[in-house]
Amino acid sequence: MSKVLVSDSIDQAGIDILSQVANVDVKLGLKPEELQQIIGEYDALMIRSGTRVTEEVIEAAANLKIIGRAGVGVDNVDVPAATRRGIVVVNSPEGNTIAAAEHALAMMMAMSRNIADANASVKKGEWNRKTFVGTEVYKKTLGIVGLGKIGSHVAGVAKAMGMKLLAFDPFISNERAEQMGVQLVDMDLLVKQADYITLHIPKTPETAHLINTEMLAKMKPNARIINCARGGIIDEEALAVALKEGKIKGAALDVYESEPLGESPLKALGKEVVLTPHLGASTTEAQVNVAIDVAEQIRDVMLGLPARSAVNIPGLNPNVLEELKPYMQLAETLGNLVGQLAGGRVETLKVTLQGELATNKSQPLVIASIKGLLYQALRERVNYVNANIEAKERGIRVIETRDDSVKDYAGSLHLEATGNLGTHDVTGALLGDGEIRITGLDSFPINVPPNRYMLFTVHRDMPGIIGKIGSLLGSFNVNIASMQVGRKIVRGDAVMVISIDDPLPDGILNEITKVPGIRDAYTVTL
Ligand SMILES: NC(=O)C1=CN([C@@H]2O[C@H](COP(=O)(O)OP(=O)(O)OC[C@H]3O[C@@H](n4cnc5c(N)ncnc54)[C@H](O)[C@@H]3O)[C@@H](O)[C@H]2O)C=CC1
Ligand SMILES: O=C(O)C(=O)COP(=O)(O)O
């Protein structure tokens, strides 16, 4: 049975799903070195934000097939390293949206009405109504940085509270923003005009320290900033200085550059700062949602099914994949075949999606073709996750084209590989019953099912040549399962496709190429 390691606190609903297909070990609070030591035994890893999955951990993860992040942010996972190793990384893009949005709104209100400090004061026995006079958010301007899932929900609630909404998000259209009653502005205008600023963007090299001394200096003296997105988007040192010097009014933070938050000048500040320990996703509802969502994906991948929210497999949406499934095997087979015909180092792979496959939705077939092409070199180490990256690292240029005018079959694929030993092409399609047919080879028409061992020759179409090859194979005790010849014109060039029951013995290919009229001979194993 497979083994899953759960290294952060996950709702039992997720553990129950994983237990259907695997032995589940829950080990919380592992240090990176400890994780590195044990990860080799596991097929899957389920985490939240607490576990750092570094390149070293991934290097040590000899059997790992999937990393499931029960939440949104995958910045604690070295995704490129996982991709290179062919490990699927999945998350739960929507399971905690509401929880995170409501936490940001709660932080805004807590700051405005001094809830946290007023509560602490009453509990100390004080009754201090003057110190805790607050501000209303009604008619104030809220600047939302990142108008994605969480930012949009915040916008909807804030609108209902009577706030004026500005947003900065270069990837959102004006129409979409208008529908939400939000005015899209640039970051400069947003920080200058907002009374409240709330961050809902991922942590990336572009967003690291987006809120720095310079940005803080542009804000209004009454501005309050909320970060329930990711630590490190705000420069915490600069924020502490701005708050201390009264450059801005307040800050409410749920996430920090380093978690748990250790020594920090923010802790020394008074009621102008509200701090929570990364609680954005910590609601009962969100934890059930994300645990089920991610555990189901891990279970599916263990059962050989696609994951619905893989962050490192482009375009592999499960609905589309279901439709394409029969063609994925065709693409892999053709990729493997053309790679072996090309022989040496392939420089360019041209994939033409033909007939009804000539749509955007068929893009996974390109990935499957690359996977097939690289199979001889990488065997099981190439998969849908890393096929693209492996091709890039080998300098293989992949060109995708579409041709819906090809009508021989409902859908067909044409692959052309060019390398240091020349160019070869193969075409293939599916029969009505889903059976794979190779329908073209080096532009010659053929119609053969793929076979484990095959021999292809390019030869002059002349009497006697087929007999000679047959006798030669017989003399080496090679049994022929089927044979077919394809030609374009009589007595021109032709191809011969022979399916054989066993691998071709050493030396025989050389003998075949010596037969008069044979131009080339190739043997492949599929
Ligand atoms: N505190 C917590 O516990 C939680 C934090 N989060 C964090 O919240 C953040 C947002 O999550 P979602 O709304 O689900 O993501 P999302 O992907 O739906 O939205 C992110 C938005 O940010 C925009 N964006 C990206 N780069 C930008 C930039 N440089 N400037 C402006 N906009 C930019 C994108 O266009 C997108 O619309 C993530 O960082 C996530 O990790 C999510 C859940 C819980
Ligand atoms: O989903 C996210 O991005 C979060 O930040 C939630 O983190 P958590 O799962 O609560 O450690």
Side-chain angles (χ1 to χ4, degrees):
M1 217 182 187
S2 307
K3 286 186 79 178
V4 182
L5 175 65
V6 175
S7 61
D8 285 315
S9 167
I10 304 289
D11 191 89
Q12 186 61 35
I15 312 269
D16 291 346
I17 293 168
L18 295 174
S19 305
Q20 295 167 0
V21 292
N23 289 321
V24 183
D25 287 345
V26 180
K27 295 186 180 175
L28 309 182
L30 292 171
K31 295 199 181 79
E33 320 77 77
E34 292 170 327
L35 178 61
Q36 207 175 316
Q37 259 165 26
I38 61 168
I39 193 67
E41 319 166 21
Y42 293 97
D43 302 278
L45 173 66
M46 187 158 174
I47 57 164
R48 284 175 59 193
S49 62
T51 303
R52 283 196 58 224
V53 187
T54 59
E55 186 166 12
E56 291 73 33
V57 169
I58 286 165
E59 286 298 314
N63 294 316
L64 204 64
K65 288 156 198 77
I66 177 165
I67 299 169
R69 192 318 189 195
V72 180
V74 287
D75 41 287
N76 50 327
V77 178
D78 189 333
V79 178
T83 304
R84 278 196 297 278
R85 290 288 306 273
I87 299 168
V88 192
V89 180
V90 303
N91 70 350
S92 175
E94 287 166 17
N96 61 24
T97 301
I98 303 299
E102 289 184 357
H103 197 68
L105 290 157
M107 293 289 253
M108 179 171 75
M109 296 314 296
M111 229 185 338
S112 299
R113 304 308 291 268
N114 302 304
I115 304 286
D117 281 47
N119 168 67
S121 155
V122 173
K123 285 184 175 165
K124 268 199 295 189
E126 298 166 358
W127 193 256
N128 204 344
R129 298 176 60 196
K130 269 215 172 100
T131 314
F132 298 121
V133 173
T135 347
E136 291 171 15
V137 300
Y138 182 66
K139 289 203 169 163
K140 297 288 187 322
T141 298
L142 174 64
I144 304 172
V145 183
L147 200 55
K149 290 180 282 297
I150 298 170
S152 302
H153 191 73
V154 167
V157 178
K159 183 103 204 143
M161 294 173 90
M163 298 186 84
K164 182 183 171 210
L165 304 177
L166 302 179
F168 170 63
D169 190 327
F171 311 105
I172 294 283
S173 69
N174 274 317
E175 295 74 51
R176 169 100 181 94
E178 263 168 38
Q179 279 166 8
M180 289 188 261
V182 179
Q183 187 191 345
L184 278 185
V185 293
D186 63 24
M187 190 65 187
D188 201 56
L189 197 68
L190 183 145
V191 291
K192 282 180 179 156
Q193 294 199 346
D195 302 299
Y196 294 84
I197 296 164
T198 185
L199 307 176
H200 300 291
I201 49 178
K203 165 100 179 287
T204 63
E206 293 75 47
T207 63
H209 284 196
L210 176 69
I211 305 297
N212 51 19
T213 305
E214 201 189 339
M215 221 31 121
L216 288 159
K218 292 180 185 169
M219 293 178 191
K220 291 179 175 177
N222 76 327
R224 291 175 166 94
I225 186 157
I226 302 141
N227 186 8
C228 289
R230 270 298 170 276
I233 299 176
I234 300 182
D235 176 346
E236 288 168 13
E237 297 281 334
L239 176 67
V241 171
L243 286 164
K244 218 173 184 170
E245 294 178 353
K247 297 246 166 62
I248 66 166
K249 185 83 180 170
L253 309 183
D254 184 47
V255 286
Y256 308 90
E257 304 208 44
S258 165
E259 294 180 10
L261 180 64
E263 284 283 304
S264 165
L266 294 167
K267 286 183 176 173
L269 294 166
K271 68 177 173 18
E272 60 274 31
V273 177
V274 179
L275 307 176
T276 51
H278 203 146
L279 291 182
S282 293
T283 63
T284 317
E285 296 86 345
Q287 283 314 305
V288 171
N289 290 343
V290 297
I292 292 178
D293 187 358
V294 170
E296 281 182 350
Q297 296 188 66
I298 293 178
R299 179 198 61 196
D300 289 354
V301 167
M302 304 289 228
L303 295 174
L305 301 167
R308 60 179 159 254
S309 310
V311 300
N312 60 349
I313 313 183
L316 288 196
N317 160 324
N319 298 332
V320 172
L321 209 60
E322 201 49 45
E323 280 173 41
L324 288 178
K325 220 185 235 164
Y327 285 104
M328 296 295 271
Q329 191 53 45
L330 170 69
E332 278 188 45
T333 306
L334 294 179
N336 190 355
L337 174 57
V338 81
Q340 291 184 62
L341 293 175
R345 181 167 37 79
V346 171
E347 282 143 14
T348 309
L349 174 70
K350 196 165 146 197
V351 181
T352 310
L353 304 162
Q354 303 182 147
E356 66 180 32
L357 297 178
T359 69
N360 273 341
K361 283 206 302 197
S362 303
Q363 215 278 332
L365 298 180
V366 179
I367 299 174
S369 306
I370 302 170
K371 178 177 178 240
L373 180 82
L374 295 175
Y375 181 75
Q376 292 302 319
L378 296 170
R379 300 281 151 173
E380 278 68 34
R381 280 178 292 124
V382 61
N383 61 21
Y384 295 135
V385 178
N386 63 2
N388 254 331
I389 219 167
E390 290 288 353
K392 247 186 219 131
E393 279 178 3
R394 282 167 174 68
I396 301 171
R397 201 159 73 95
V398 178
I399 303 168
E400 176 187 334
T401 56
R402 292 180 198 141
D403 184 356
D404 61 7
S405 68
V406 180
K407 301 281 186 222
D408 306 348
Y409 293 87
S412 56
L413 276 174
H414 179 77
L415 268 57
E416 184 187 286
T418 303
N420 56 336
L421 302 178
T423 296
H424 289 275
D425 66 87
V426 294
T427 313
L430 296 180
L431 298 186
D433 57 5
E435 233 183 80
I436 295 177
R437 279 289 183 279
I438 305 167
T439 58
L441 190 116
D442 284 350
S443 303
F444 290 98
I446 53 170
N447 193 325
V448 289
N451 190 56
R452 177 127 178 82
Y453 304 109
M454 299 182 93
L455 170 67
F456 297 91
T457 65
V458 181
H459 59 268
R460 285 264 321 283
D461 179 26
M462 58 188 203
I465 200 156
I466 295 170
K468 276 193 194 126
I469 300 293
S471 327
L472 194 59
L473 290 174
S475 69
F476 279 84
N477 198 25
V478 175
N479 201 34
I480 297 176
S482 71
M483 199 277 288
Q484 200 183 89
V485 177
R487 61 185 187 182
K488 285 183 239 173
I489 48 165
V490 177
R491 297 203 180 228
D493 274 346
V495 292
M496 184 165 19
V497 184
I498 304 174
S499 293
I500 47 183
D501 289 337
D502 299 293
L504 214 56
D506 283 348
I508 186 168
L509 200 63
N510 211 8
E511 294 296 315
I512 291 171
T513 50
K514 284 187 200 148
V515 171
I518 296 283
R519 297 195 196 289
D520 264 318
Y522 310 89
T523 174
V524 302
T525 305
L526 296 175

